[in-house]
Amino acid sequence: MTALPGSDLAGYLRSYVQEMGFGTEDPEVVLDRYHTPDLVWRNDGTVLDRQRLIDHARPVRRTVTDGHVDVHDTLVHGDRVAARYTLHAVSRGRPLVTDIHLFGRLAPDGRLCRIDQLTRIVPTGTAS
């Protein structure tokens, strides 16, 4: 069962990371399940369009061996969403912990059409 961002934001955050990072489905299929084709994803000021996100998934699948998301807070209000979560990953054998603040806009079908995200790499062992 797909957890659409508009109906289960925490479920989306967990599912999307697992499916995009570790799944066997084509990244295009995973991306389109949760996001509109005209998605604009701004991460720390860098704009990622659909193709850049798809292109990013393939190397991640080769280098990341483990990962999960701890969701701390979510808010859905009308067509706006916000979340604070921590992404834990093992990349090239090294742990990587990232605190993420996400703000987004939903399309009428419950998928995300815009994401503005701020991230902070956390020194390993001090995530909160």
Side-chain angles (χ1 to χ4, degrees):
M1 172 95 176
T2 299
L4 285 178
S7 59
D8 182 4
L9 187 57
Y12 152 77
L13 293 168
R14 292 181 190 104
S15 297
Y16 178 71
V17 166
Q18 287 299 312
E19 292 174 29
M20 196 60 128
F22 305 103
T24 57
E25 278 186 295
D26 287 334
E28 296 91 344
V29 173
V30 176
L31 189 70
D32 292 345
R33 179 177 301 129
Y34 299 106
H35 309 94
T36 61
D38 61 345
L39 171 70
V40 175
W41 189 317
R42 186 178 309 267
N43 189 71
D44 295 331
T46 300
V47 176
L48 306 167
D49 64 8
R50 182 178 183 277
Q51 192 58 53
R52 272 186 87 179
L53 289 162
I54 291 166
D55 292 345
H56 177 69
R58 289 180 177 94
V60 167
R61 287 180 175 185
R62 287 191 302 268
T63 60
V64 176
T65 57
D66 190 22
H68 71 277
V69 170
D70 290 330
V71 178
H72 309 297
D73 298 297
T74 63
L75 177 66
V76 178
H77 183 74
D79 69 345
R80 304 296 175 116
V81 300
R84 185 176 63 88
Y85 63 102
T86 303
L87 173 62
H88 301 266
V90 176
S91 179
R92 295 186 170 104
R94 289 175 281 169
L96 177 64
V97 179
T98 309
D99 280 340
I100 302 171
H101 294 86
L102 176 147
F103 304 91
R105 178 167 280 173
L106 297 168
D109 66 2
R111 295 183 297 165
L112 282 160
C113 60
R114 168 123 189 160
I115 293 173
D116 290 284
Q117 196 167 259
L118 300 170
T119 67
R120 177 180 73 93
I121 302 298
V122 179
T124 305
T126 61
S128 58

Short mmCIF file of all heavy atoms in Angstrom, two decimals, residues 22-89:
data_model
loop_
_atom_site.label_atom_id
_atom_site.label_comp_id
_atom_site.label_asym_id
_atom_site.label_seq_id
_atom_site.Cartn_x
_atom_site.Cartn_y
_atom_site.Cartn_z
N PHE A 22 16.70 1.46 -2.06
CA PHE A 22 16.99 0.03 -1.95
C PHE A 22 16.07 -0.85 -2.79
O PHE A 22 16.24 -2.06 -2.83
CB PHE A 22 16.90 -0.42 -0.49
CG PHE A 22 17.80 0.38 0.41
CD1 PHE A 22 17.27 1.37 1.22
CD2 PHE A 22 19.16 0.16 0.42
CE1 PHE A 22 18.10 2.13 2.03
CE2 PHE A 22 20.00 0.91 1.22
CZ PHE A 22 19.47 1.89 2.04
N GLY A 23 15.11 -0.24 -3.44
CA GLY A 23 14.14 -1.02 -4.20
C GLY A 23 14.68 -1.51 -5.52
O GLY A 23 15.77 -1.13 -5.96
N THR A 24 13.91 -2.36 -6.17
CA THR A 24 14.30 -2.89 -7.47
C THR A 24 13.48 -2.29 -8.61
O THR A 24 13.81 -2.50 -9.77
CB THR A 24 14.14 -4.42 -7.49
OG1 THR A 24 12.79 -4.76 -7.17
CG2 THR A 24 15.09 -5.08 -6.48
N GLU A 25 12.43 -1.55 -8.27
CA GLU A 25 11.65 -0.88 -9.31
C GLU A 25 12.48 0.24 -9.93
O GLU A 25 13.35 0.82 -9.29
CB GLU A 25 10.40 -0.22 -8.70
CG GLU A 25 9.24 -1.15 -8.49
CD GLU A 25 8.02 -0.38 -8.02
OE1 GLU A 25 8.05 0.18 -6.92
OE2 GLU A 25 7.05 -0.35 -8.79
N ASP A 26 12.16 0.56 -11.17
CA ASP A 26 12.83 1.68 -11.82
C ASP A 26 12.61 2.95 -11.00
O ASP A 26 11.49 3.18 -10.51
CB ASP A 26 12.27 1.91 -13.23
CG ASP A 26 12.71 0.85 -14.21
OD1 ASP A 26 13.78 0.24 -13.99
OD2 ASP A 26 11.99 0.64 -15.20
N PRO A 27 13.66 3.77 -10.84
CA PRO A 27 13.49 5.01 -10.08
C PRO A 27 12.37 5.90 -10.62
O PRO A 27 11.71 6.60 -9.84
CB PRO A 27 14.86 5.70 -10.22
CG PRO A 27 15.81 4.60 -10.48
CD PRO A 27 15.05 3.57 -11.27
N GLU A 28 12.13 5.88 -11.93
CA GLU A 28 11.06 6.68 -12.52
C GLU A 28 9.70 6.30 -11.94
O GLU A 28 8.88 7.15 -11.63
CB GLU A 28 11.01 6.49 -14.05
CG GLU A 28 12.22 6.96 -14.77
CD GLU A 28 13.28 5.88 -14.97
OE1 GLU A 28 13.24 4.82 -14.28
OE2 GLU A 28 14.17 6.10 -15.79
N VAL A 29 9.49 4.99 -11.78
CA VAL A 29 8.21 4.49 -11.25
C VAL A 29 8.04 4.93 -9.80
O VAL A 29 6.97 5.39 -9.41
CB VAL A 29 8.15 2.95 -11.38
CG1 VAL A 29 6.92 2.38 -10.68
CG2 VAL A 29 8.18 2.53 -12.85
N VAL A 30 9.10 4.80 -9.02
CA VAL A 30 9.03 5.19 -7.61
C VAL A 30 8.79 6.69 -7.49
O VAL A 30 7.91 7.13 -6.74
CB VAL A 30 10.33 4.79 -6.86
CG1 VAL A 30 10.30 5.28 -5.42
CG2 VAL A 30 10.53 3.29 -6.91
N LEU A 31 9.54 7.48 -8.23
CA LEU A 31 9.40 8.93 -8.15
C LEU A 31 7.98 9.35 -8.51
O LEU A 31 7.36 10.17 -7.81
CB LEU A 31 10.41 9.61 -9.08
CG LEU A 31 10.50 11.12 -8.93
CD1 LEU A 31 11.12 11.49 -7.59
CD2 LEU A 31 11.28 11.71 -10.07
N ASP A 32 7.45 8.80 -9.59
CA ASP A 32 6.11 9.18 -10.05
C ASP A 32 5.00 8.71 -9.13
O ASP A 32 3.90 9.27 -9.14
CB ASP A 32 5.87 8.66 -11.47
CG ASP A 32 6.74 9.35 -12.49
OD1 ASP A 32 7.32 10.42 -12.19
OD2 ASP A 32 6.87 8.82 -13.62
N ARG A 33 5.26 7.69 -8.33
CA ARG A 33 4.26 7.21 -7.38
C ARG A 33 3.95 8.30 -6.34
O ARG A 33 2.80 8.43 -5.91
CB ARG A 33 4.77 5.95 -6.70
CG ARG A 33 3.81 5.37 -5.67
CD ARG A 33 4.34 4.06 -5.08
NE ARG A 33 4.53 3.10 -6.15
CZ ARG A 33 5.65 2.41 -6.36
NH1 ARG A 33 6.68 2.54 -5.56
NH2 ARG A 33 5.74 1.55 -7.37
N TYR A 34 4.95 9.04 -5.93
CA TYR A 34 4.82 9.98 -4.82
C TYR A 34 4.86 11.46 -5.22
O TYR A 34 4.56 12.32 -4.41
CB TYR A 34 5.96 9.74 -3.83
CG TYR A 34 5.95 8.36 -3.23
CD1 TYR A 34 6.88 7.40 -3.62
CD2 TYR A 34 5.01 8.01 -2.26
CE1 TYR A 34 6.87 6.13 -3.06
CE2 TYR A 34 4.99 6.75 -1.70
CZ TYR A 34 5.93 5.81 -2.10
OH TYR A 34 5.93 4.56 -1.55
N HIS A 35 5.27 11.74 -6.47
CA HIS A 35 5.49 13.11 -6.90
C HIS A 35 4.89 13.33 -8.29
O HIS A 35 4.87 12.42 -9.11
CB HIS A 35 6.99 13.42 -6.97
CG HIS A 35 7.73 13.05 -5.72
ND1 HIS A 35 8.35 11.82 -5.56
CD2 HIS A 35 7.92 13.72 -4.56
CE1 HIS A 35 8.89 11.77 -4.35
NE2 HIS A 35 8.64 12.91 -3.73
N THR A 36 4.50 14.57 -8.56
CA THR A 36 3.98 14.91 -9.88
C THR A 36 5.13 15.04 -10.87
O THR A 36 6.27 15.28 -10.48
CB THR A 36 3.18 16.22 -9.83
OG1 THR A 36 4.05 17.28 -9.40
CG2 THR A 36 1.97 16.11 -8.89
N PRO A 37 4.84 14.89 -12.18
CA PRO A 37 5.90 14.98 -13.19
C PRO A 37 6.60 16.34 -13.22
O PRO A 37 7.76 16.43 -13.60
CB PRO A 37 5.17 14.73 -14.51
CG PRO A 37 3.92 14.01 -14.14
CD PRO A 37 3.56 14.49 -12.76
N ASP A 38 5.91 17.39 -12.81
CA ASP A 38 6.50 18.74 -12.82
C ASP A 38 7.13 19.11 -11.47
O ASP A 38 7.37 20.28 -11.19
CB ASP A 38 5.45 19.78 -13.21
CG ASP A 38 4.26 19.82 -12.25
OD1 ASP A 38 4.10 18.87 -11.43
OD2 ASP A 38 3.49 20.79 -12.31
N LEU A 39 7.44 18.11 -10.66
CA LEU A 39 8.03 18.33 -9.35
C LEU A 39 9.23 19.26 -9.42
O LEU A 39 10.09 19.13 -10.28
CB LEU A 39 8.48 16.99 -8.75
CG LEU A 39 9.31 17.04 -7.47
CD1 LEU A 39 8.45 17.49 -6.29
CD2 LEU A 39 9.94 15.68 -7.19
N VAL A 40 9.28 20.19 -8.46
CA VAL A 40 10.47 21.01 -8.24
C VAL A 40 10.92 20.71 -6.82
O VAL A 40 10.17 20.92 -5.87
CB VAL A 40 10.18 22.51 -8.41
CG1 VAL A 40 11.40 23.33 -8.05
CG2 VAL A 40 9.73 22.80 -9.82
N TRP A 41 12.13 20.19 -6.67
CA TRP A 41 12.69 19.81 -5.37
C TRP A 41 13.93 20.66 -5.14
O TRP A 41 14.93 20.50 -5.84
CB TRP A 41 13.04 18.33 -5.39
CG TRP A 41 13.42 17.71 -4.08
CD1 TRP A 41 14.22 18.23 -3.11
CD2 TRP A 41 13.02 16.43 -3.61
NE1 TRP A 41 14.34 17.36 -2.07
CE2 TRP A 41 13.62 16.23 -2.35
CE3 TRP A 41 12.23 15.42 -4.14
CZ2 TRP A 41 13.43 15.08 -1.62
CZ3 TRP A 41 12.05 14.28 -3.40
CH2 TRP A 41 12.64 14.10 -2.15
N ARG A 42 13.85 21.57 -4.20
CA ARG A 42 14.97 22.45 -3.89
C ARG A 42 15.60 21.93 -2.60
O ARG A 42 14.98 21.93 -1.54
CB ARG A 42 14.50 23.88 -3.72
CG ARG A 42 15.64 24.87 -3.54
CD ARG A 42 15.12 26.31 -3.43
NE ARG A 42 14.20 26.64 -4.50
CZ ARG A 42 14.54 27.23 -5.64
NH1 ARG A 42 15.80 27.53 -5.87
NH2 ARG A 42 13.63 27.51 -6.55
N ASN A 43 16.85 21.47 -2.70
CA ASN A 43 17.58 20.93 -1.55
C ASN A 43 18.76 21.83 -1.25
O ASN A 43 19.69 21.92 -2.05
CB ASN A 43 18.04 19.51 -1.85
CG ASN A 43 18.61 18.84 -0.63
OD1 ASN A 43 17.87 18.50 0.28
ND2 ASN A 43 19.92 18.67 -0.59
N ASP A 44 18.72 22.52 -0.12
CA ASP A 44 19.78 23.45 0.28
C ASP A 44 20.10 24.43 -0.85
O ASP A 44 21.26 24.75 -1.12
CB ASP A 44 21.04 22.70 0.70
CG ASP A 44 20.83 21.88 1.97
OD1 ASP A 44 19.99 22.27 2.80
OD2 ASP A 44 21.50 20.84 2.12
N GLY A 45 19.07 24.89 -1.54
CA GLY A 45 19.24 25.87 -2.60
C GLY A 45 19.48 25.30 -3.98
O GLY A 45 19.40 26.02 -4.97
N THR A 46 19.76 24.02 -4.09
CA THR A 46 19.98 23.38 -5.39
C THR A 46 18.67 22.80 -5.90
O THR A 46 18.02 22.03 -5.19
CB THR A 46 21.03 22.24 -5.27
OG1 THR A 46 22.26 22.80 -4.79
CG2 THR A 46 21.25 21.56 -6.61
N VAL A 47 18.29 23.20 -7.10
CA VAL A 47 17.03 22.72 -7.67
C VAL A 47 17.27 21.39 -8.38
O VAL A 47 18.16 21.26 -9.22
CB VAL A 47 16.44 23.74 -8.67
CG1 VAL A 47 15.18 23.18 -9.32
CG2 VAL A 47 16.14 25.05 -7.96
N LEU A 48 16.45 20.40 -7.99
CA LEU A 48 16.51 19.08 -8.59
C LEU A 48 15.19 18.83 -9.33
O LEU A 48 14.14 18.81 -8.70
CB LEU A 48 16.71 18.01 -7.51
CG LEU A 48 17.91 18.22 -6.58
CD1 LEU A 48 17.82 17.30 -5.39
CD2 LEU A 48 19.19 18.00 -7.35
N ASP A 49 15.26 18.65 -10.62
CA ASP A 49 14.05 18.32 -11.36
C ASP A 49 13.90 16.79 -11.40
O ASP A 49 14.71 16.05 -10.84
CB ASP A 49 14.07 18.93 -12.76
CG ASP A 49 15.19 18.39 -13.64
OD1 ASP A 49 15.89 17.43 -13.26
OD2 ASP A 49 15.38 18.96 -14.74
N ARG A 50 12.88 16.34 -12.07
CA ARG A 50 12.58 14.91 -12.12
C ARG A 50 13.78 14.09 -12.61
O ARG A 50 14.15 13.08 -12.01
CB ARG A 50 11.36 14.68 -13.02
CG ARG A 50 10.92 13.25 -13.13
CD ARG A 50 9.65 13.14 -14.01
NE ARG A 50 9.19 11.78 -14.07
CZ ARG A 50 9.68 10.85 -14.90
NH1 ARG A 50 10.65 11.15 -15.73
NH2 ARG A 50 9.18 9.63 -14.89
N GLN A 51 14.41 14.53 -13.70
CA GLN A 51 15.51 13.76 -14.26
C GLN A 51 16.72 13.71 -13.33
O GLN A 51 17.35 12.68 -13.19
CB GLN A 51 15.93 14.30 -15.64
CG GLN A 51 16.86 13.36 -16.37
CD GLN A 51 16.25 11.97 -16.58
OE1 GLN A 51 15.14 11.84 -17.10
NE2 GLN A 51 16.96 10.92 -16.16
N ARG A 52 17.03 14.81 -12.67
CA ARG A 52 18.16 14.82 -11.73
C ARG A 52 17.91 13.87 -10.57
O ARG A 52 18.82 13.21 -10.08
CB ARG A 52 18.43 16.22 -11.21
CG ARG A 52 19.38 16.99 -12.10
CD ARG A 52 19.77 18.30 -11.54
NE ARG A 52 20.93 18.19 -10.65
CZ ARG A 52 21.47 19.21 -10.04
NH1 ARG A 52 20.99 20.43 -10.21
NH2 ARG A 52 22.51 19.05 -9.27
N LEU A 53 16.67 13.81 -10.09
CA LEU A 53 16.35 12.89 -9.00
C LEU A 53 16.48 11.43 -9.44
O LEU A 53 17.02 10.60 -8.70
CB LEU A 53 14.94 13.17 -8.48
CG LEU A 53 14.80 14.47 -7.69
CD1 LEU A 53 13.35 14.89 -7.60
CD2 LEU A 53 15.41 14.33 -6.32
N ILE A 54 16.03 11.15 -10.65
CA ILE A 54 16.16 9.79 -11.18
C ILE A 54 17.63 9.44 -11.35
O ILE A 54 18.07 8.34 -10.96
CB ILE A 54 15.39 9.68 -12.52
CG1 ILE A 54 13.88 9.77 -12.25
CG2 ILE A 54 15.75 8.39 -13.26
CD1 ILE A 54 13.04 10.01 -13.48
N ASP A 55 18.40 10.36 -11.91
CA ASP A 55 19.83 10.10 -12.13
C ASP A 55 20.57 9.91 -10.80
O ASP A 55 21.53 9.16 -10.74
CB ASP A 55 20.46 11.26 -12.91
CG ASP A 55 19.96 11.34 -14.34
OD1 ASP A 55 19.34 10.36 -14.83
OD2 ASP A 55 20.17 12.40 -14.97
N HIS A 56 20.12 10.58 -9.75
CA HIS A 56 20.75 10.47 -8.43
C HIS A 56 20.50 9.10 -7.79
O HIS A 56 21.34 8.59 -7.05
CB HIS A 56 20.23 11.59 -7.52
CG HIS A 56 20.74 11.55 -6.13
ND1 HIS A 56 22.05 11.83 -5.81
CD2 HIS A 56 20.11 11.28 -4.96
CE1 HIS A 56 22.20 11.73 -4.50
NE2 HIS A 56 21.04 11.38 -3.97
N ALA A 57 19.36 8.50 -8.10
CA ALA A 57 18.98 7.23 -7.46
C ALA A 57 19.91 6.09 -7.82
O ALA A 57 20.24 5.26 -6.96
CB ALA A 57 17.55 6.87 -7.81
N ARG A 58 20.35 6.03 -9.04
CA ARG A 58 21.16 4.89 -9.48
C ARG A 58 22.48 4.78 -8.71
O ARG A 58 22.80 3.71 -8.20
CB ARG A 58 21.35 4.95 -10.98
CG ARG A 58 20.05 4.62 -11.71
CD ARG A 58 20.18 4.65 -13.23
NE ARG A 58 18.92 4.26 -13.84
CZ ARG A 58 17.99 5.12 -14.24
NH1 ARG A 58 18.17 6.41 -14.10
NH2 ARG A 58 16.87 4.69 -14.77
N PRO A 59 23.28 5.86 -8.59
CA PRO A 59 24.52 5.72 -7.80
C PRO A 59 24.26 5.48 -6.32
O PRO A 59 25.03 4.78 -5.66
CB PRO A 59 25.27 7.04 -8.04
CG PRO A 59 24.34 7.95 -8.72
CD PRO A 59 23.23 7.13 -9.29
N VAL A 60 23.17 6.05 -5.79
CA VAL A 60 22.84 5.80 -4.39
C VAL A 60 22.60 4.31 -4.17
O VAL A 60 23.08 3.74 -3.20
CB VAL A 60 21.61 6.63 -3.95
CG1 VAL A 60 21.06 6.15 -2.62
CG2 VAL A 60 21.98 8.11 -3.87
N ARG A 61 21.88 3.69 -5.08
CA ARG A 61 21.61 2.25 -4.95
C ARG A 61 22.88 1.41 -4.98
O ARG A 61 22.91 0.33 -4.43
CB ARG A 61 20.64 1.79 -6.05
CG ARG A 61 19.23 2.26 -5.83
CD ARG A 61 18.31 1.79 -6.92
NE ARG A 61 16.93 2.16 -6.62
CZ ARG A 61 15.89 1.80 -7.36
NH1 ARG A 61 16.08 1.06 -8.45
NH2 ARG A 61 14.68 2.18 -7.04
N ARG A 62 23.93 1.92 -5.61
CA ARG A 62 25.20 1.18 -5.66
C ARG A 62 26.06 1.41 -4.43
O ARG A 62 26.84 0.53 -4.06
CB ARG A 62 25.99 1.59 -6.91
CG ARG A 62 25.43 1.03 -8.20
CD ARG A 62 26.38 1.23 -9.37
NE ARG A 62 26.73 2.61 -9.60
CZ ARG A 62 26.08 3.45 -10.43
NH1 ARG A 62 25.04 3.01 -11.09
NH2 ARG A 62 26.48 4.68 -10.59
N THR A 63 25.97 2.58 -3.80
CA THR A 63 26.92 2.92 -2.73
C THR A 63 26.33 2.84 -1.33
O THR A 63 27.08 2.72 -0.36
CB THR A 63 27.51 4.33 -2.93
OG1 THR A 63 26.44 5.28 -2.94
CG2 THR A 63 28.28 4.41 -4.23
N VAL A 64 25.02 2.93 -1.19
CA VAL A 64 24.39 2.91 0.13
C VAL A 64 23.93 1.49 0.43
O VAL A 64 23.20 0.88 -0.35
CB VAL A 64 23.22 3.90 0.21
CG1 VAL A 64 22.51 3.80 1.55
CG2 VAL A 64 23.72 5.33 -0.02
N THR A 65 24.38 0.96 1.57
CA THR A 65 24.07 -0.42 1.92
C THR A 65 23.01 -0.56 3.00
O THR A 65 22.51 -1.65 3.24
CB THR A 65 25.35 -1.15 2.38
OG1 THR A 65 25.91 -0.43 3.48
CG2 THR A 65 26.35 -1.25 1.26
N ASP A 66 22.70 0.53 3.69
CA ASP A 66 21.69 0.48 4.75
C ASP A 66 21.13 1.87 4.93
O ASP A 66 21.81 2.87 4.66
CB ASP A 66 22.32 -0.01 6.06
CG ASP A 66 21.28 -0.32 7.13
OD1 ASP A 66 20.10 -0.55 6.79
OD2 ASP A 66 21.64 -0.31 8.33
N GLY A 67 19.90 1.96 5.39
CA GLY A 67 19.32 3.26 5.64
C GLY A 67 17.94 3.17 6.24
O GLY A 67 17.21 2.21 5.98
N HIS A 68 17.62 4.15 7.04
CA HIS A 68 16.27 4.27 7.57
C HIS A 68 16.03 5.72 7.98
O HIS A 68 16.96 6.52 8.08
CB HIS A 68 16.04 3.32 8.75
CG HIS A 68 16.77 3.71 9.99
ND1 HIS A 68 18.09 3.37 10.22
CD2 HIS A 68 16.37 4.42 11.08
CE1 HIS A 68 18.46 3.86 11.40
NE2 HIS A 68 17.44 4.50 11.93
N VAL A 69 14.77 6.03 8.22
CA VAL A 69 14.34 7.38 8.56
C VAL A 69 13.69 7.36 9.93
O VAL A 69 12.84 6.51 10.21
CB VAL A 69 13.33 7.91 7.50
CG1 VAL A 69 12.68 9.19 7.94
CG2 VAL A 69 14.01 8.08 6.16
N ASP A 70 14.09 8.30 10.78
CA ASP A 70 13.39 8.57 12.04
C ASP A 70 12.60 9.85 11.84
O ASP A 70 13.18 10.92 11.64
CB ASP A 70 14.38 8.77 13.20
CG ASP A 70 15.09 7.50 13.61
OD1 ASP A 70 14.51 6.42 13.45
OD2 ASP A 70 16.24 7.61 14.09
N VAL A 71 11.28 9.73 11.87
CA VAL A 71 10.41 10.89 11.68
C VAL A 71 10.11 11.50 13.05
O VAL A 71 9.62 10.81 13.95
CB VAL A 71 9.10 10.49 10.97
CG1 VAL A 71 8.19 11.70 10.81
CG2 VAL A 71 9.40 9.85 9.62
N HIS A 72 10.42 12.78 13.20
CA HIS A 72 10.23 13.47 14.48
C HIS A 72 8.92 14.26 14.51
O HIS A 72 8.22 14.22 15.52
CB HIS A 72 11.40 14.41 14.75
CG HIS A 72 12.73 13.74 14.63
ND1 HIS A 72 13.13 12.70 15.45
CD2 HIS A 72 13.75 13.93 13.76
CE1 HIS A 72 14.34 12.30 15.10
NE2 HIS A 72 14.73 13.03 14.08
N ASP A 73 8.61 14.97 13.45
CA ASP A 73 7.39 15.79 13.39
C ASP A 73 6.87 15.83 11.96
O ASP A 73 7.67 15.89 11.02
CB ASP A 73 7.68 17.25 13.79
CG ASP A 73 8.16 17.40 15.22
OD1 ASP A 73 7.38 17.06 16.13
OD2 ASP A 73 9.30 17.85 15.40
N THR A 74 5.55 15.80 11.80
CA THR A 74 4.93 16.03 10.50
C THR A 74 3.71 16.91 10.68
O THR A 74 3.07 16.90 11.75
CB THR A 74 4.50 14.71 9.81
OG1 THR A 74 3.50 14.08 10.61
CG2 THR A 74 5.67 13.80 9.55
N LEU A 75 3.40 17.65 9.64
CA LEU A 75 2.23 18.51 9.65
C LEU A 75 1.68 18.57 8.23
O LEU A 75 2.44 18.79 7.28
CB LEU A 75 2.59 19.92 10.11
CG LEU A 75 1.48 20.96 10.11
CD1 LEU A 75 0.41 20.61 11.13
CD2 LEU A 75 2.06 22.34 10.36
N VAL A 76 0.40 18.31 8.08
CA VAL A 76 -0.29 18.46 6.81
C VAL A 76 -1.44 19.41 7.06
O VAL A 76 -2.27 19.19 7.96
CB VAL A 76 -0.82 17.10 6.28
CG1 VAL A 76 -1.58 17.31 4.98
CG2 VAL A 76 0.32 16.11 6.10
N HIS A 77 -1.48 20.49 6.28
CA HIS A 77 -2.54 21.49 6.42
C HIS A 77 -2.94 21.94 5.02
O HIS A 77 -2.18 22.65 4.35
CB HIS A 77 -2.06 22.67 7.26
CG HIS A 77 -3.13 23.69 7.50
ND1 HIS A 77 -4.16 23.48 8.38
CD2 HIS A 77 -3.33 24.91 6.95
CE1 HIS A 77 -4.94 24.54 8.38
NE2 HIS A 77 -4.47 25.41 7.52
N GLY A 78 -4.11 21.49 4.57
CA GLY A 78 -4.52 21.80 3.21
C GLY A 78 -3.54 21.20 2.22
O GLY A 78 -3.26 20.01 2.26
N ASP A 79 -3.00 22.06 1.35
CA ASP A 79 -2.04 21.57 0.36
C ASP A 79 -0.59 21.78 0.79
O ASP A 79 0.33 21.64 -0.02
CB ASP A 79 -2.28 22.22 -1.01
CG ASP A 79 -1.94 23.69 -1.04
OD1 ASP A 79 -1.77 24.31 0.04
OD2 ASP A 79 -1.83 24.24 -2.16
N ARG A 80 -0.38 22.08 2.06
CA ARG A 80 0.98 22.31 2.58
C ARG A 80 1.37 21.21 3.54
O ARG A 80 0.57 20.70 4.32
CB ARG A 80 1.05 23.65 3.33
CG ARG A 80 0.61 24.85 2.53
CD ARG A 80 1.54 25.09 1.36
NE ARG A 80 1.07 26.16 0.52
CZ ARG A 80 1.71 27.30 0.34
NH1 ARG A 80 2.87 27.51 0.92
NH2 ARG A 80 1.22 28.21 -0.45
N VAL A 81 2.66 20.82 3.48
CA VAL A 81 3.19 19.82 4.39
C VAL A 81 4.51 20.31 4.96
O VAL A 81 5.21 21.12 4.33
CB VAL A 81 3.39 18.44 3.72
CG1 VAL A 81 2.08 17.89 3.19
CG2 VAL A 81 4.44 18.51 2.63
N ALA A 82 4.84 19.82 6.13
CA ALA A 82 6.14 20.09 6.75
C ALA A 82 6.54 18.86 7.54
O ALA A 82 5.69 18.14 8.08
CB ALA A 82 6.06 21.31 7.67
N ALA A 83 7.84 18.62 7.59
CA ALA A 83 8.34 17.47 8.34
C ALA A 83 9.75 17.77 8.84
O ALA A 83 10.51 18.50 8.21
CB ALA A 83 8.36 16.21 7.48
N ARG A 84 10.05 17.16 9.97
CA ARG A 84 11.40 17.18 10.52
C ARG A 84 11.76 15.72 10.76
O ARG A 84 11.05 15.01 11.47
CB ARG A 84 11.43 17.98 11.83
CG ARG A 84 12.83 18.16 12.41
CD ARG A 84 12.79 19.05 13.65
NE ARG A 84 12.02 18.47 14.73
CZ ARG A 84 12.51 17.63 15.64
NH1 ARG A 84 13.77 17.26 15.61
NH2 ARG A 84 11.72 17.15 16.59
N TYR A 85 12.84 15.29 10.13
CA TYR A 85 13.23 13.88 10.25
C TYR A 85 14.73 13.73 10.13
O TYR A 85 15.44 14.64 9.74
CB TYR A 85 12.49 13.01 9.23
CG TYR A 85 12.77 13.30 7.77
CD1 TYR A 85 13.63 12.49 7.04
CD2 TYR A 85 12.15 14.35 7.11
CE1 TYR A 85 13.87 12.71 5.70
CE2 TYR A 85 12.38 14.59 5.77
CZ TYR A 85 13.23 13.78 5.07
OH TYR A 85 13.47 14.01 3.73
N THR A 86 15.22 12.55 10.50
CA THR A 86 16.63 12.23 10.41
C THR A 86 16.80 11.02 9.52
O THR A 86 16.13 10.00 9.70
CB THR A 86 17.22 11.94 11.81
OG1 THR A 86 17.00 13.08 12.65
CG2 THR A 86 18.72 11.67 11.73
N LEU A 87 17.69 11.15 8.54
CA LEU A 87 18.02 10.07 7.63
C LEU A 87 19.33 9.44 8.09
O LEU A 87 20.34 10.13 8.22
CB LEU A 87 18.17 10.60 6.20
CG LEU A 87 18.67 9.62 5.14
CD1 LEU A 87 17.70 8.46 4.96
CD2 LEU A 87 18.88 10.36 3.83
N HIS A 88 19.28 8.16 8.37
CA HIS A 88 20.47 7.40 8.77
C HIS A 88 20.83 6.49 7.59
O HIS A 88 19.98 5.75 7.10
CB HIS A 88 20.18 6.52 9.99
CG HIS A 88 19.74 7.29 11.18
ND1 HIS A 88 20.63 7.71 12.14
CD2 HIS A 88 18.51 7.73 11.56
CE1 HIS A 88 19.96 8.37 13.08
NE2 HIS A 88 18.68 8.39 12.75
N ALA A 89 22.09 6.54 7.16
CA ALA A 89 22.52 5.71 6.04
C ALA A 89 23.94 5.22 6.27
O ALA A 89 24.69 5.79 7.07
CB ALA A 89 22.45 6.51 4.74
#
